[in-house]
Amino acid sequence: MEAFLKKEFEVEAKNPSTESLRRWRSAVSVVKNPRRRFRFVSNPTAEELKEKLQEDIRIAQNVQKAALQFIDTVSGQPEIETTPKLTDFGIDPESIARLVRSYDSKRLKLIDGVDGVAKQLRVSLVDGVNEDSINTRQHFYGFNRYAEKHSKTFIMFVWESLQDLTLILLTVCSLVLIGVRVATEGWPVSMYDEVGVILGVFLVNIFTAINDYHQSLKFREWDRENKNIFVQVTRDGKRQKISIYDLVVGDIVHLSTGDRIPADGIYILGNSLNIDESSLTGQIETVHVREDKPFLLAGTKVLDGSGKMLVTTVGMRTEWGKLVEVLNEEGQEETPLQVKLNGVATIVGKIGLSFSLLTFVVLAIRFLVEKALHGEFSNWSSKDAMKLLNYFTIVVTMIVIAVPEGLPLAVTLNLAFATKKLMSDNVLVRHLSACEAMGSASYICLDKTGTLTTNHMVVNKLWISGEVVEMKGNESGDILKMKISEGVLSILLQAIFQNNASEIVKDKHGKITILGTPTDSALLELGLLLGVDFDVQCRLYKKLKVEPFNPVQKKMTVLVSLPNGGVRAFCKGASEIILKMCDKMIDCNGIPIDFLEDHAKNVSDVINAFASETLRTICLAVKDMNAIPGKADIPDNGYTLIAVVGINDPMRPGVKDVVQTCSAAGVTVAMVTGDDINIAKAIATECGILTSGGVAIEGPQFRNLSTWQMEVIIPTIQVLARLQPLDKHSFVAKLKNMFGEVVAVTGDGTSDAPALHEADIGVAMGLSGTEVAKESADIVIMDDNITTIVNVIKWGRAVYINIQKLVQFQLTVIIVALVINFCSASVAGYVPLTAVQLLWINLIMDILCAMALVTEPLNDGLMKRPPVGRGVEFITRVMWRNIIGQSIYQVIVLTVLNFEGRDILSITGSDATDVLRTLIFNSFIFFQIFNEINCREIEKINIFKGILDSWAFLVIIFSTVSIQVIIVQFLGTFACTVPLNLKLWLFSVLVGSTSMFIATLLKCIPVKRDVSIHHDSYEALPTHL
């Protein structure tokens, strides 16, 4: 079985190839209800439709641009559209949408650019829209909502469940039998059996529809949360954060690196704003947005820089809205476990179908032989036809049992339950396969800033004018001003306020908030501590050029014009980068002096001392230039060192426990960061990542390793520092390809996106993470609390183990039901389990048991197991031991009861046969009820541990027993049963409970297992602990 599953039903957990998706779909056979079984499977043609639409958008843009250029060349002046004054606005939705979509710069210039558009939209480019006008704008220009896939009603789920071919055949057969009986015996007739089958089919459909509808509600909630993002806007002069769904035409949106453009719009102002339009056009091409190319389209991403945009088009009028409509048809990408269980269902279904047909053949042959022996072969009556049709009905019901259609859907139910629980822990699972894959994670690369640390940075120490000043408390600002001269203070404040991407804003209540990167915000807080007015500093100088912080260059530079007409450049960034650019430093009087070797050594010692205290070091530098404003370029050298800033980013509480828990669970933890190696080593040691035998290495050194060196060194690496974005991506790829690790990576910045995408599981931070990082990730920790990653691993492992439990249970039920009916048909010419009884068994197997096992609460034992490696057997040898052992025992007991039960139990009377068959049915059900309890633990002997905490499991077990009592005692005419006395009830329960004793004996039988050895010589924990 495993060989077939690996050949036909093996798909990648992330970004599966089209070939592998088509291969498993074509390999699936014996499907009772395709509409239900493949409800959550992605549409293979949706990706092709998406690519075609992207190509259409790209062609349309090119054609529009060419047409506009031709018109402008011929006429010399673009045509101005006049808008009828139907509202307070000066331009209608279609006209403004067409203006932006067609990149019509000349028409935009003709209406006075973005200022003219703002006037027609009745909005101030400074204060933004008025809150009072939002409803009017939404009514006229529309809502920023995209077409959603139509949600199904409960009746639609009932209709889908009715498409099951086997249930349709059962219903038809029952109706035919009723019709024959009415025609031959008149009305009314005894047709309780047939009515019971129809009633059973109805109940199965209703329960199935309820279960599926419940799943859909969970997924709808999950999908809504998955698509909701927040943006920064200015309204009524106040900057605030709103949901993307609340955005209106006229809003002023603030953009920064890593953001996704929330709607179509026009650029107002900004610095080096570079946009990636590949999500819209399908082509990887960076677009530099500026005043002469000001158009921004929804769905594209900010690669670099910052700026403001005026929203002009929202919702379905954008090109992104049209693309989203196609994306909604894709469906949910299937997970590897769902695919594998489709394979299991296919194999088991084929075997079960063969057994069922063989049972029908045996029954039919026995019937024909009996007629021949009695000399009645040529005489056929309606009773004979009804008997054969009844056989067919039973066989069809056996097929209902034999094809475990609910297995793949059980994965969906399990994942839906897990994702809902994780949402309550502030964890958003963007791709369901990630929740499943997290259970197999064997290596976690933790980003330092924002993951291990709080990402709330504060200046702790400052080296300036040859002195180290400790910054603690509000009085430290006064102490600093006392220690440095006015000239030094002046240049320090300029470096802080001019070369800073953060902003100080006030909300509706006048509360001051600093918005921006943590590093810039920390420096700004220092400036405010020194008693300086932010607005005054900003008005003193005019920014000419800005080079935003870049994770590769690790610096930010700004060019400003001075009040006296000169030009000055300010630069800040990683210490080792800035020091190489400096040839001078300011002395205690604020005068530049040569930056000598002794000075460099002294500064280097200061930096190392700061780093040893886990302080992040930033250098500030300045350069005066003899250049004309507007013609000056940003210099790369010749700077004067102003100060070294030591910024404290406290470690998150609980990080050490997370590292210890993951290590104990067989998950290797490493730190990857762009920071200085000394800081990284200090923090890694503090949180337990860096141990005595571990290696800390820098990016340049890692890049220069040969292949054989990587094979030796990578297993010992615990800290990677001063990494560039591609280094992190390369490290993850090496772990996956060279060592077969299942790698999880955390990150929050745009530069982390390649590694997040490459990893098996990308984990982004919700509060500090950029939209680009979140979109590249599979899981988003909404509150940035890294301690919840342990719960994610637990749920990932729980999903895998719960499905294994369910498979073990269902295969046991299928084997016993098929074998007992086949054996009885072959020997006695009848089947002990009737159609209605088999439908009830199917309900237990497909729905009730699935709900019971997937809703088991988490336990600490999950973190005492090893991670599930790549390519391991899903149905393990231990599971086969349990399945085969239980099946043999149950078949033996039920067979003995079937043929010798009347004598053993002294069952007499005219209804002895009915009593015996009811007893067999009752014993079979209790076998499965107690075996369901057995399946709570595949290997452990103590199956009752934590059962009282699993209230859902107890409720389902109690409900199953209650329904069984009702069926046997009160619904005999429909279920082909007769009431049992107390003695036989106790016997049924006692016989069923013996399966727990058998399970204990089976678990004592040793089973050969593959012991996985980790790449760092860690031996996987035995799974029976």
Side-chain angles (χ1 to χ4, degrees):
M1 179 183 284
E2 286 294 334
F4 176 72
L5 292 178
K6 289 181 179 179
K7 179 183 177 183
E8 303 292 344
F9 293 90
E10 195 79 35
V11 299
E12 301 85 351
K14 197 168 182 179
N15 305 316
S17 64
T18 304
E19 180 187 351
S20 64
L21 293 178
R22 293 187 185 278
R23 184 178 64 246
W24 84 259
R25 286 166 185 160
S26 61
V28 172
S29 58
V30 196
V31 180
K32 297 185 294 183
N33 189 347
R35 290 185 64 175
R36 178 172 182 256
R37 183 153 164 188
F38 301 120
R39 180 187 298 130
F40 296 107
V41 172
S42 60
N43 182 357
T45 62
E47 186 64 29
E48 298 173 6
L49 292 172
K50 173 187 171 184
E51 292 176 0
K52 184 178 184 302
L53 184 56
Q54 285 178 328
E55 184 180 1
D56 291 343
I57 292 172
R58 189 166 60 249
I59 292 171
Q61 287 178 349
N62 293 334
V63 169
Q64 286 172 339
K65 291 175 184 177
L68 288 170
Q69 187 175 2
F70 175 76
I71 292 170
D72 293 343
T73 303
V74 174
S75 64
Q77 181 173 313
E79 181 183 350
I80 305 175
E81 295 183 31
T82 57
T83 304
K85 293 288 182 179
L86 299 177
T87 67
D88 292 336
F89 303 106
I91 190 167
D92 65 88
E94 290 302 328
S95 298
I96 189 66
R98 190 162 50 251
L99 173 71
V100 175
R101 190 167 57 238
S102 61
Y103 291 82
D104 195 348
S105 299
K106 292 195 174 181
R107 183 172 283 113
L108 177 65
K109 188 176 180 180
L110 201 64
I111 58 175
D112 200 19
V114 68
D115 293 312
V117 173
K119 288 178 182 177
Q120 296 197 31
L121 294 177
R122 306 297 185 258
V123 65
S124 165
L125 292 179
V126 177
D127 295 332
V129 301
N130 190 304
E131 292 275 4
D132 297 334
S133 69
I134 290 176
N135 290 336
T136 305
R137 293 176 185 277
Q138 289 177 332
H139 178 74
F140 185 66
Y141 288 106
F143 291 83
N144 197 32
R145 304 288 175 97
Y146 304 117
E148 295 183 359
K149 197 172 183 178
H150 183 65
S151 57
K152 296 178 181 178
T153 62
F154 175 71
I155 298 301
M156 295 174 71
F157 281 101
V158 173
W159 174 249
E160 273 194 3
S161 66
L162 287 171
Q163 308 303 307
D164 191 312
L165 179 61
T166 54
L167 296 183
I168 292 172
L169 286 174
L170 280 177
T171 306
V172 170
C173 289
S174 298
L175 292 174
V176 170
L177 283 170
I178 291 173
V180 171
R181 286 193 177 186
V182 170
T184 57
E185 301 175 19
W187 183 273
V189 294
S190 178
M191 47 188 179
Y192 292 115
D193 291 354
E194 290 75 23
V195 173
V197 171
I198 294 173
L199 183 62
V201 169
F202 173 76
L203 290 175
V204 167
N205 279 320
I206 292 298
F207 272 101
T208 302
I210 291 172
N211 186 47
D212 293 347
Y213 182 62
H214 182 60
Q215 284 186 38
S216 73
L217 292 178
K218 287 184 178 179
F219 276 111
R220 199 182 308 168
E221 180 184 353
W222 168 77
D223 189 56
R224 192 182 301 116
E225 189 68 27
N226 194 15
K227 292 178 180 178
N228 188 22
I229 63 174
F230 291 87
V231 292
Q232 294 278 349
V233 299
T234 296
R235 287 182 176 177
D236 288 331
K238 307 295 182 183
R239 187 160 166 177
Q240 54 188 283
K241 182 187 286 188
I242 65 170
S243 168
I244 188 175
Y245 299 130
D246 297 329
L247 206 65
V248 297
V249 170
D251 264 323
I252 308 299
V253 179
H254 299 259
L255 302 173
S256 58
T257 302
D259 285 347
R260 195 181 85 182
I261 308 298
D264 288 359
I266 301 174
Y267 171 83
I268 301 172
L269 55 86
N271 299 306
S272 305
L273 191 61
N274 293 317
I275 304 296
D276 173 18
E277 294 188 348
S278 60
S279 57
L280 194 62
T281 64
Q283 287 187 331
I284 301 175
E285 181 180 356
T286 301
V287 177
H288 180 60
V289 178
R290 49 187 186 271
E291 290 183 1
D292 58 334
K293 294 179 69 176
F295 301 108
L296 295 156
L297 298 181
T300 58
K301 300 169 186 174
V302 181
L303 282 181
D304 200 6
S306 60
K308 291 182 182 181
M309 67 171 277
L310 172 65
V311 175
T312 58
T313 314
V314 294
M316 293 304 296
R317 286 193 174 91
T318 65
E319 295 290 356
W320 181 250
K322 300 172 186 176
L323 190 59
V324 167
E325 193 172 15
V326 174
L327 294 177
N328 283 335
E329 299 303 318
E330 282 191 21
Q332 176 61 46
E333 185 180 280
E334 53 270 39
T335 72
L337 199 52
Q338 285 173 318
V339 173
K340 190 165 287 188
L341 287 178
N342 269 293
V344 172
T346 296
I347 296 171
V348 175
K350 287 179 178 178
I351 297 171
L353 180 63
S354 303
F355 254 91
S356 302
L357 294 177
L358 192 58
T359 301
F360 178 74
V361 170
V362 169
L363 288 171
I365 290 175
R366 284 184 63 93
F367 173 73
L368 294 174
V369 168
E370 286 179 3
K371 283 187 71 66
L373 291 175
H374 289 87
E376 299 175 354
F377 195 80
S378 58
N379 298 323
W380 289 81
S381 65
S382 60
K383 289 185 177 180
D384 294 330
M386 288 173 61
K387 198 167 188 178
L388 285 173
L389 196 57
N390 193 46
Y391 287 160
F392 183 72
T393 301
I394 292 171
V395 170
V396 171
T397 314
M398 288 176 64
I399 296 173
V400 173
I401 291 283
V403 182
E405 196 98 294
L407 275 181
L409 296 172
V411 180
T412 309
L413 175 63
N414 205 341
L415 289 171
F417 181 76
T419 52
K420 185 175 182 180
K421 288 291 185 181
L422 285 170
M423 281 177 68
S424 65
D425 290 335
N426 290 313
V427 176
L428 174 64
V429 180
R430 297 188 67 250
H431 301 125
L432 291 180
S433 58
C435 182
E436 182 183 299
M438 203 64 185
S440 302
S442 59
Y443 205 106
I444 299 181
C445 298
L446 296 177
D447 187 37
K448 182 187 78 68
T449 305
T451 302
L452 295 174
T453 61
T454 61
N455 209 24
H456 180 71
M457 301 187 185
V458 179
V459 175
N460 189 268
K461 288 188 176 182
L462 181 72
W463 177 90
I464 190 167
S465 298
E467 285 194 61
V468 175
V469 182
E470 192 167 359
M471 307 298 296
K472 284 188 177 179
N474 295 331
E475 68 280 358
S476 58
D478 296 330
I479 295 173
L480 177 61
K481 287 192 284 187
M482 289 172 58
K483 288 190 175 184
I484 60 177
S485 65
E486 285 293 331
V488 174
L489 179 62
S490 175
I491 197 68
L492 173 64
L493 293 174
Q494 290 177 39
I496 289 173
F497 285 100
Q498 301 308 317
N499 192 13
N500 201 302
S502 290
E503 293 183 58
I504 296 178
V505 298
K506 291 183 180 180
D507 62 14
K508 299 176 182 179
H509 309 290
K511 182 182 177 182
I512 293 177
T513 306
I514 299 177
L515 299 175
T517 64
T519 304
D520 281 344
S521 299
L523 292 172
L524 214 53
E525 285 181 0
L526 173 62
L528 296 176
L529 190 64
L530 294 172
V532 179
D533 189 293
F534 176 74
D535 293 329
V536 172
Q537 282 287 326
C538 291
R539 286 195 297 267
L540 285 175
Y541 306 92
K542 180 183 178 183
K543 292 182 181 180
L544 303 175
K545 288 184 180 180
V546 177
E547 186 181 83
F549 178 81
N550 185 292
V552 176
Q553 296 179 345
K554 298 187 184 300
K555 63 184 178 69
M556 175 181 178
T557 313
V558 63
L559 212 60
V560 301
S561 61
L562 302 176
N564 60 8
V567 175
R568 180 171 288 170
F570 292 100
C571 187
K572 71 177 179 191
S575 303
E576 71 275 13
I577 303 294
I578 304 302
L579 288 180
K580 291 177 182 178
M581 299 168 61
C582 295
D583 56 15
K584 288 181 172 58
M585 61 177 286
I586 60 169
D587 64 8
C588 58
N589 299 313
I591 300 173
I593 60 173
D594 290 336
F595 192 47
L596 303 177
E597 188 175 339
D598 291 342
H599 295 142
K601 185 179 182 304
N602 183 34
V603 172
S604 181
D605 290 341
V606 170
I607 292 171
N608 291 333
F610 283 6
S612 65
E613 299 176 33
T614 68
L615 297 180
R616 189 179 186 185
T617 56
I618 300 292
C619 284
L620 308 179
V622 65
K623 180 177 182 178
D624 286 322
M625 304 170 61
N626 295 321
I628 302 172
K631 294 185 179 181
D633 292 322
I634 294 176
D636 292 326
N637 51 48
Y639 283 88
T640 300
L641 180 65
I642 301 172
V644 178
V645 183
I647 299 177
N648 183 35
D649 186 7
M651 193 170 72
R652 289 187 182 276
V655 168
K656 195 168 184 177
D657 293 336
V658 170
V659 174
Q660 289 177 346
T661 303
C662 289
S663 298
V667 182
T668 304
V669 181
M671 176 198 287
V672 288
T673 179
D675 276 351
D676 178 78
I677 192 168
N678 293 319
I679 303 173
K681 287 167 68 176
I683 293 178
T685 302
E686 185 180 349
C687 62
I689 293 176
L690 185 60
T691 59
S692 57
V695 171
I697 189 173
E698 290 186 311
Q701 186 182 354
F702 174 75
R703 287 193 294 273
N704 293 328
L705 293 175
S706 62
T707 302
W708 71 267
Q709 286 175 322
M710 285 188 176
E711 290 177 354
V712 175
I713 293 177
I714 285 180
T716 63
I717 290 177
Q718 293 177 340
V719 175
L720 281 92
R722 281 298 180 224
L723 289 182
Q724 292 187 358
L726 291 181
D727 293 335
K728 194 171 181 179
H729 176 276
S730 175
F731 181 63
V732 172
K734 292 289 189 300
L735 286 170
K736 290 173 59 180
N737 301 328
M738 293 177 68
F739 299 96
E741 299 284 0
V742 179
V743 185
V745 172
T746 68
D748 56 3
T750 305
S751 59
D752 295 322
L756 291 171
H757 185 269
E758 174 65 23
D760 294 288
I761 313 104
V763 183
M765 300 296 111
L767 295 177
S768 59
T770 64
E771 287 305 320
V772 169
K774 294 176 193 176
E775 288 192 10
S776 299
D778 307 290
I779 295 173
V780 180
I781 300 178
M782 304 302 291
D783 59 357
D784 288 10
N785 186 1
I786 190 60
T787 58
T788 55
I789 202 167
V790 173
N791 270 357
V792 179
I793 296 174
K794 282 184 179 180
W795 275 115
R797 294 184 175 192
V799 166
Y800 191 87
I801 293 168
N802 287 344
I803 295 301
Q804 283 186 317
K805 295 174 185 178
L806 182 62
V807 168
Q808 177 177 301
F809 175 80
Q810 289 203 4
L811 290 186
T812 305
V813 176
I814 291 169
I815 291 172
V816 175
L818 292 179
V819 172
I820 192 67
N821 266 10
F822 175 74
C823 292
S824 182
S826 302
V827 177
Y830 69 90
V831 290
L833 299 175
T834 65
V836 176
Q837 293 167 2
L838 286 172
L839 285 173
W840 168 229
I841 294 168
N842 180 68
L843 198 61
I844 295 174
M845 184 180 76
D846 256 11
I847 296 177
L848 296 179
C849 177
M851 292 175 65
L853 291 177
V854 304
T855 53
E856 287 267 59
L858 297 179
N859 60 79
D860 294 333
L862 291 167
M863 296 304 285
K864 295 179 182 178
R865 296 172 176 267
V868 180
R870 295 183 190 273
V872 298
E873 293 182 348
F874 175 70
I875 305 179
T876 63
R877 293 187 180 99
V878 173
M879 291 171 64
W880 280 122
R881 177 197 65 191
N882 297 341
I883 292 168
I884 294 171
Q886 278 287 345
S887 299
I888 291 173
Y889 172 71
Q890 292 183 23
V891 167
I892 289 173
V893 172
L894 294 173
T895 302
V896 170
L897 283 177
N898 190 30
F899 294 109
E900 303 295 334
R902 189 178 308 182
D903 296 332
I904 293 173
L905 299 173
S906 301
I907 300 174
T908 58
S910 59
D911 62 346
T913 301
D914 293 334
V915 170
L916 180 63
R917 291 184 181 181
T918 301
L919 179 66
I920 292 171
F921 167 58
N922 210 35
S923 300
F924 180 90
I925 292 297
F926 277 99
F927 264 137
Q928 309 322 318
I929 289 172
F930 284 105
N931 193 39
E932 192 172 335
I933 300 173
N934 289 333
C935 290
R936 292 188 70 246
E937 293 291 348
I938 294 176
E939 297 191 58
K940 294 180 182 178
I941 291 177
N942 186 2
I943 56 177
F944 295 105
K945 184 178 180 181
I947 195 170
L948 295 179
D949 298 325
S950 182
W951 61 269
F953 184 90
L954 294 174
V955 168
I956 290 171
I957 291 292
F958 178 78
S959 301
T960 305
V961 173
S962 301
I963 296 171
Q964 178 65 14
V965 171
I966 294 171
I967 289 174
V968 172
Q969 298 297 116
F970 304 106
L971 298 179
T973 51
F974 295 102
C976 301
T977 61
V978 293
L980 299 177
N981 58 37
L982 181 61
K983 174 186 172 183
L984 294 180
W985 268 104
L986 291 175
F987 178 81
S988 300
V989 174
L990 182 63
V991 168
S993 65
T994 58
S995 67
M996 293 197 294
F997 175 70
I998 296 300
T1000 302
L1001 292 179
L1002 289 171
K1003 290 172 183 176
C1004 294
I1005 300 173
V1007 175
K1008 182 182 177 182
R1009 67 180 80 233
D1010 296 326
V1011 179
S1012 58
I1013 304 297
H1014 208 248
H1015 70 75
D1016 57 0
S1017 300
Y1018 159 80
E1019 185 172 320
L1021 293 168
T1023 55
H1024 64 271
L1025 289 177

